[in-house]
């Protein structure tokens, strides 16, 4: 990192502290407060890290006001249009787009790792059939550290690399197995003659009793969904992976922590919650009732698929997702889908409503993804596992970056303590 050229001055209690400021390649400057406690005996207070950069990173950049998302500098719209998920995986992991030879070699490496240790099948069978696939995924991914002992040493760059490839390669197999288990169908092994998205659709939808042909348009849409979710800088689940990794925990344990965090409805769980909300609204005439509820301070209801911590303009992923939704529904001949009608009308009304306009609440990536996934045949419970498998490359890239960063320390926030000051214990008979 270049030496800081600017400083900020913090004045309090007749004291003044000079704080160095770092300038990023793009985006706002950051005041370096690392020495604040040592020199000023004060903390900063920032619940939810709304103004705090927790790390430096070269992977993904978001300009929330412009509605811009870049992977290693490349706009998401261009990648969604021209690239593929595996190419984006290479880009996120190694920083540059691959040459043709590098891409071939990387694809072979990922493909060779798609199968799971056979013993993992028994692990799946320990779950109840009605378990949510996210619950199964958290358990199975956490359990990978019990199966792949040769990629647990985080201090060995080669083992870190093998763990990264294993995770990217095996996550579709794990997600598909979680799905097959939940519907009582036999597990389907990966096929290495198919590409990444085709193989996932094959493992989810084929059965041993008859041949299954993967539709190329659906595979393309699937690949695009993976690409759009691949990374999103320091979101809650990525920060969870980094925090877990900062203690030296093994990579499989860290990714399991990320999956657990992603499951929440304010984060990755929003895609399932959004489709369930659209179904609950049911018909266009009921939209005003739900808009009123979303605006009511006394009602905890929120319009799922709307709003974002960083985007205060359209989520660029939502724009691409909307185009994909139209393509997929056209292909499948779905034209008068009631859920889609509700979604389109809800979007229109919310974008014109003063409450949503003032608070800059725009549709996010989850608003349209559920419609596509449902049309493809996925149940709502599979929406968040698909998000998790797509985000795995982001988590792994950020984890690898963190381990290699010399500024990295164990994540250990401080607190603003507002509890009781020191007091003496009172015997139970005297309380
Ligand atoms: N519906 C109604 N009001 C909302 C919504 C919404 N979806 N989102 C935010 N608001 C209001 C909120 O009540 C608050 O109002 P006020 O200032 O009067 O108290 C204001 O807008 C700011 O909200 P916030 O909760 O302070 O904003 P945040 O940055 O902490 O939360 C969010 C961001 C994504 C958690 C939130 O917008 C939300 O809960 N959205 C619905 C869930 C959702 O779609 N999540 C997926 C996010 S994109 C996928 C991903 O990356 O995980």
């Amino acid at each position: 990192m270049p030496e800081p050229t600017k400083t900020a001055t913090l004045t309090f209690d007749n004291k003044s502290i000079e704080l160095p400021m770092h300038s990023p390649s793009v985006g706002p400057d950051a005041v370096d407060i690392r020495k604040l406690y040592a020199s000023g005996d004060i903390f900063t207070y920032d619940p939810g890290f709304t103004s705090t950069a927790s790390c430096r990173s070269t992977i993904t950049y978001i300009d929330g006001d412009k509605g811009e998302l870049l992977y290693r500098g490349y706009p998401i719209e261009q990648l969604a249009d021209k690239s593929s998920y595996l190419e984006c995986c290479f880009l996120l992991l190694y920083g540059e787009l691959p040459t043709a030879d590098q891409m071939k070699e990387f694809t072979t490496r990922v493909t060779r790792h798609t199968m799971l240790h056979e013993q993992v099948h028994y692990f799946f069978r320990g779950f109840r059939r009605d378990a949510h696939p996210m619950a199964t995924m958290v358990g199975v991914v956490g359990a990978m550290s019990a199966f792949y002992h040769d990629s647990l040493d985080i201090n060995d760059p080669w083992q870190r690399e093998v763990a990264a490839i294993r995770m990217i390669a095996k996550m579709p197999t794990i997600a598909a197995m979680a799905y097959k288990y939940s519907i009582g169908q036999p597990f389907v092994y990966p096929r290495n003659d198919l590409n990444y998205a085709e193989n996932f659709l094959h493992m989810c939808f084929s059965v041993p009793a008859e041949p299954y042909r993967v539709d190329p348009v659906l595979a393309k849409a699937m690949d695009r969904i993976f690409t759009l979710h691949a990374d999103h800088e320091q979101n809650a689940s990525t920060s969870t992976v980094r925090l877990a990794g900062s203690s030296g925990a093994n990579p499989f344990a860290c990714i399991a922590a990320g999956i657990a965090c992603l499951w929440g409805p304010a984060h990755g769980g929003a895609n399932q919650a959004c489709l369930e909300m659209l179904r609950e609204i049911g018909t266009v005439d009921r939209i005003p009732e739900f808009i009123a509820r979303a605006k009511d301070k006394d009602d905890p209801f929120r319009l799922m698929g709307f709003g974002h911590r960083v985007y205060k303009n359209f989520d660029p992923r939502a724009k691409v997702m909307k185009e994909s939704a139209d393509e997929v529904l056209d292909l499948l001949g779905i034209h008068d889908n009631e859920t889609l009608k509700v979604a389109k009308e809800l979007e229109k009304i919310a974008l014109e409503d003063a409450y949503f306009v003032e608070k800059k609440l725009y549709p996010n990536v989850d608003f349209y993804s559920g419609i596509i996934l449902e049309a493809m045949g996925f149940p709502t419970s599979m929406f968040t596992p698909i998000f998790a498998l797509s985000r795995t490359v982001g988590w792994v890239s950020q984890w690898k970056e963190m381990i290699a960063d010399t500024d990295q320390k164990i994540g250990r926030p401080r607190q603003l303590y507002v509890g009781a000051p020191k007091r003496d214990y009172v015997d139970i008979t005297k309380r």
Side-chain angles (χ1 to χ4, degrees):
M1 196 153 56
E3 280 301 306
T5 50
K6 288 194 269 180
T7 55
T9 310
L10 183 68
T11 310
F12 62 99
D13 293 346
N14 298 324
K15 268 195 259 180
S16 207
I17 299 179
E18 292 279 298
L19 298 162
M21 287 176 77
H22 300 290
S23 297
S25 41
V26 235
D29 289 346
V31 181
D32 187 336
I33 56 164
R34 281 178 291 178
K35 301 230 163 59
L36 190 58
Y37 178 54
S39 53
D41 200 25
I42 51 166
F43 294 144
T44 54
Y45 177 61
D46 184 17
F49 301 115
T50 53
S51 299
T52 299
S54 63
C55 62
R56 56 181 174 183
S57 181
T58 59
I59 302 175
T60 293
Y61 176 73
I62 302 174
D63 185 326
D65 294 326
K66 283 198 212 147
E68 187 174 72
L69 167 62
L70 313 176
Y71 292 168
R72 301 281 191 186
Y74 295 101
I76 190 65
E77 295 84 354
Q78 290 181 25
L79 294 170
D81 188 31
K82 299 186 175 122
S83 182
S84 68
Y85 178 68
L86 266 196
E87 191 178 63
C88 288
C89 287
F90 187 100
L91 176 67
L92 290 167
L93 277 172
Y94 308 115
E96 295 296 335
L97 286 168
T99 62
D101 284 348
Q102 286 171 327
M103 188 61 207
K104 202 168 155 206
E105 194 267 337
F106 180 68
T107 307
T108 309
R109 260 197 303 149
V110 172
T111 308
R112 292 275 158 78
H113 280 285
T114 50
M115 285 208 305
L116 275 175
H117 191 296
E118 197 63 13
Q119 198 72 13
V120 180
H121 291 208
Y122 298 101
F123 203 89
F124 271 93
R125 289 179 213 281
F127 287 95
R128 281 171 58 138
R129 290 271 177 194
D130 60 358
H132 194 288
M134 282 298 276
T136 315
M137 279 183 85
V138 174
V140 172
V141 173
M144 282 170 82
S145 44
F147 287 89
Y148 300 102
H149 297 139
D150 57 348
S151 48
L152 296 183
D153 181 0
I154 63 154
N155 298 312
D156 177 348
W158 175 245
Q159 294 202 29
R160 298 205 295 265
E161 176 65 18
V162 175
I165 298 291
R166 277 191 168 136
M167 225 112 52
I168 293 163
K170 293 184 199 303
M171 207 59 88
T173 316
I174 294 171
M177 284 171 76
Y179 172 51
K180 285 298 197 190
Y181 186 74
S182 73
I183 55 170
Q185 286 187 4
F187 296 134
V188 174
Y189 286 92
R191 260 183 50 191
N192 289 353
D193 59 322
L194 300 175
N195 71 28
Y196 196 87
E198 289 170 345
N199 183 43
F200 179 61
L201 292 172
H202 154 76
M203 288 189 291
C204 287
F205 296 124
S206 76
V207 288
E210 55 189 52
Y212 170 76
R213 187 189 148 269
V214 183
D215 191 300
V217 178
L218 294 189
K220 173 86 194 130
M222 188 81 259
D223 194 79
R224 200 178 261 183
I225 288 178
F226 293 160
T227 302
L228 292 174
H229 288 90
D231 195 44
H232 216 228
E233 51 118 307
Q234 309 311 319
N235 56 83
S237 57
T238 302
S239 299
T240 301
V241 169
R242 278 185 177 258
L243 194 56
S246 75
S247 74
N250 77 67
F252 303 106
C254 297
I255 302 301
I259 297 173
C261 176
L262 185 80
W263 195 0
H267 192 8
N271 51 15
Q272 171 169 356
C274 179
L275 201 89
E276 284 167 0
M277 174 195 77
L278 294 174
R279 283 197 194 129
E280 193 194 342
I281 298 175
T283 47
V284 168
D285 57 303
R286 295 193 63 208
I287 292 175
E289 178 195 326
F290 283 80
I291 295 266
R293 280 187 62 195
K295 291 171 14 183
D296 182 355
K297 281 255 163 262
D298 300 325
D299 189 330
F301 174 79
R302 283 186 170 200
L303 272 196
M304 300 314 283
F306 269 82
H308 198 275
R309 167 61 61 79
V310 185
Y311 294 120
K312 300 303 166 200
N313 196 326
F314 233 89
D315 178 342
R317 303 167 301 170
K319 280 190 193 158
V320 181
M321 204 64 93
K322 190 175 176 180
E323 278 168 33
S324 274
D326 289 337
E327 257 172 56
V328 169
L329 295 174
D330 258 6
L331 173 86
L332 298 172
I334 303 171
H335 297 296
D336 53 355
N337 177 312
E338 202 57 45
T339 316
L340 184 69
K341 266 195 230 159
V342 172
K344 288 203 161 152
E345 192 58 23
L346 182 65
E347 183 191 4
K348 195 166 145 262
I349 295 176
L351 287 177
E352 286 163 3
D353 188 287
Y355 174 93
F356 289 85
V357 173
E358 269 161 34
K359 294 187 190 298
K360 300 190 174 161
L361 300 170
Y362 291 87
N364 59 47
V365 69
D366 293 320
F367 192 67
Y368 277 103
S369 63
I371 291 169
I372 310 180
L373 293 172
E374 189 190 42
M376 282 177 164
F378 288 105
T380 49
S381 61
M382 275 303 288
F383 294 1
T384 317
I386 289 169
F387 192 158
L389 95 77
S390 322
R391 182 56 57 83
T392 296
V393 66
W395 292 330
V396 167
S397 306
Q398 301 264 356
W399 171 79
K400 282 183 81 198
E401 182 179 66
M402 181 200 68
I403 304 280
D405 186 348
T406 48
D407 269 0
Q408 186 265 325
K409 281 177 181 293
I410 184 167
R412 200 335 184 158
R414 306 305 296 251
Q415 63 174 3
L416 176 65
Y417 179 68
V418 291
K422 186 175 175 187
R423 49 185 168 163
D424 288 324
Y425 179 81
V426 179
D427 192 83
I428 196 162
T429 54
K430 301 210 172 107
R431 282 175 224 159

